[in-house]
Amino acid sequence: MTAAAAVAVETAAPAVISRPTLTVDLAAVAANTRTLAAHAPASALMAVVKADGFGHGAAAVARTALAAGATRLGVTSVDEALALRAAGIDAPILSWLNPVDADFAAAVAVGIDLAVPSREHLDAVAAAANAGTARVHLHLDTGLARDGAPPAEWSQLCRAARLAEQRGLLRVDGVMGHLACADVPADPSNASGRTRFAWGVEVARATGLRPVHRHLAATAATLTDPRTHHTLVRVGAGLFGIDPSGTVRLRPAQTLTAPVVSVRRVRAGTPVGYGHTWTAPAATHLGLLPLGYADGLPRSASGPDGRAEVLVRGRRRRVVGLISMDQAVVDLGDDAVPPGEVATVFGPGDDGEPTAADWAAWAGTIEHEIVTGIGRRVARRTAPARATLRSVR
Ligand SMILES: *Cc1c(COP(=O)(O)O)cnc(C)c1O
């Protein structure tokens, strides 16, 4: 199947948006993939599609990114990797965060590469070798004190991996690290992370390992620091229009819309929502949206100091009162819009609608948390890679 055909299969685009809907713009994902690849021309590109493709749909994003220049996929858990295989995707996939009792045999059986951060993981993966020779990427902690082997354990991990290699149980295909502060290129921890990674690769080689994939950079370092590119870059956020370094213009790929369910006229002094945190200062029209914090609208963006807005009929409208679990109220002023009018909660910003970055700022968080947090009862709709978002609205 061609890439274009594969994308077309994902497309189901009813013309009328009559319920809360998250539209994913695969053309944006494709364009972002090309932009990221152009920033690391000498390296291969791994598209990170963990957390259901950062909330955009893992399989559709994976196919789109692979058609636009990515050659590998990255996910967190074995389960995420198996789901991609089950969806018919046969590109190389690396899974990097699993408990020691994860189903490594199932992963190895369908050719999923596994990151190994500890001796315990190495032993567990080696034990899965009856399913085939496991391909592993040794993971060194390069400065987050989170995942990856501590430097003090690295030499031993490399030696144990080399022994397992010689026994034919696995092959060390890669060495990986991750940077804590790549969004701030001048942060000194980037230099120490790069140095520690180079040391880790040296130790692996001195042990007799020959890792062909050496990867340290995620989106921010891919866009700002060629010294981190090595043979492969792992990009997630950038595929979805998020540049943590704030240096490159990428295109957001999600648009969240919801119909106005009802509109009421209220008098000055009418309190709104739980706790009455807002009271209409003048007579106005209030529109009700069937979206709340269970759907991913952060409650912290509303309330007495809330700044959240949505776009209705070409104009920004304030969210008033507290966002509740299933609903939010917007102040429509003098506009008695008819029920059914579509509100754009966020999108790329082309028509003046807020962006996910705006919502993140209103909620005191990062865009990643907004785009990955849209709830399951919001309908999903995929705009094909060749259409623009405008043409499907
Ligand atoms: C999520 C993740 C990435 C992708 O990071 P972005 O900043 O989203 O590009 C890369 N590597 C690891 C280990 C990750 O957990």
Side-chain angles (χ1 to χ4, degrees):
M1 186 166 24
T2 67
V7 166
V9 170
E10 296 288 325
T11 305
V16 179
I17 301 173
S18 59
R19 52 184 174 150
T21 300
L22 185 70
T23 302
V24 174
D25 177 9
L26 293 176
V29 173
N32 294 332
T33 305
R34 287 189 285 267
T35 300
L36 289 153
H39 278 78
S43 305
L45 191 121
M46 174 187 288
V48 177
V49 297
K50 63 188 181 186
D52 196 25
F54 285 56
H56 295 65
V61 168
R63 291 191 186 100
T64 302
L66 289 166
T71 53
R72 317 179 74 81
L73 301 171
V75 291
T76 303
S77 69
V78 160
D79 286 344
E80 290 174 305
L82 292 173
L84 290 170
R85 280 283 183 272
I89 294 171
D90 57 12
I93 304 174
L94 174 66
S95 159
W96 58 67
L97 179 58
N98 290 288
V100 284
D101 62 351
D103 196 348
F104 293 127
V108 171
V110 293
I112 289 160
D113 302 356
L114 297 162
V116 166
S118 74
R119 272 300 299 270
E120 291 77 9
H121 286 84
L122 186 77
D123 293 345
V125 172
N130 55 351
T133 303
R135 275 190 312 272
V136 307
H137 293 222
L138 298 184
H139 189 174
L140 172 65
D141 172 22
T142 51
L144 283 84
R146 198 181 66 166
D147 197 7
E153 294 168 19
W154 184 248
S155 303
Q156 223 198 359
L157 179 62
C158 287
R159 279 197 302 278
R162 179 65 187 137
L163 272 175
E165 234 182 31
Q166 287 165 332
R167 292 195 192 119
L169 302 175
L170 52 82
R171 206 199 106 65
V172 175
D173 237 16
V175 170
M176 68 185 280
H178 194 48
L179 297 170
C181 305
D183 54 332
V184 183
D187 192 287
S189 72
N190 293 313
S192 48
R194 291 195 308 267
T195 304
R196 197 190 279 183
F197 185 70
W199 167 84
V201 171
E202 252 335 289
V203 169
R205 292 190 60 83
T207 315
L209 300 171
R210 294 294 175 265
V212 292
H213 304 293
R214 300 179 295 278
H215 43 115
L216 178 63
T219 295
T222 298
L223 294 174
T224 60
D225 188 358
R227 291 168 296 184
T228 63
H229 291 176
H230 298 282
T231 65
L232 174 66
V233 296
R234 301 186 306 269
V235 298
L239 301 174
F240 311 106
I242 300 169
D243 171 15
S245 75
T247 58
V248 177
R249 264 186 84 84
L250 299 167
R251 187 159 171 81
Q254 281 185 349
T255 296
L256 178 62
T257 51
V260 174
V261 168
S262 60
V263 176
R264 75 186 59 219
R265 174 142 180 103
V266 298
R267 282 186 262 166
T270 305
V272 175
Y274 285 127
H276 287 173
T277 62
W278 185 84
T279 299
T284 190
H285 292 88
L286 300 178
L288 176 64
L289 303 181
L291 275 178
Y293 57 79
D295 306 295
L297 293 198
R299 184 173 177 274
S300 57
S302 67
D305 304 318
R307 290 151 60 205
E309 294 174 341
V310 303
L311 192 79
V312 179
R313 284 211 170 153
R315 284 175 50 197
R316 292 283 192 106
R317 320 284 180 158
R318 254 190 82 195
V319 174
V320 293
L322 278 168
I323 291 171
S324 46
M325 186 181 295
D326 318 302
Q327 39 194 310
V329 175
V330 298
D331 184 0
L332 297 168
D334 293 335
D335 287 352
V337 308
E341 184 78 32
V342 173
T344 304
V345 178
F346 63 78
D350 295 347
D351 298 324
E353 75 276 19
T355 61
D358 291 330
W359 275 90
W362 295 331
T365 185
I366 56 175
E367 284 166 85
H368 309 58
E369 193 173 336
I370 303 296
V371 301
T372 57
I374 305 307
R376 296 312 309 175
R377 68 181 167 184
V378 174
R380 262 59 177 180
R381 180 168 178 267
T382 303
R386 284 185 191 289
T388 69
L389 198 56
R390 278 164 188 283
S391 70
V392 301
R393 268 203 233 145

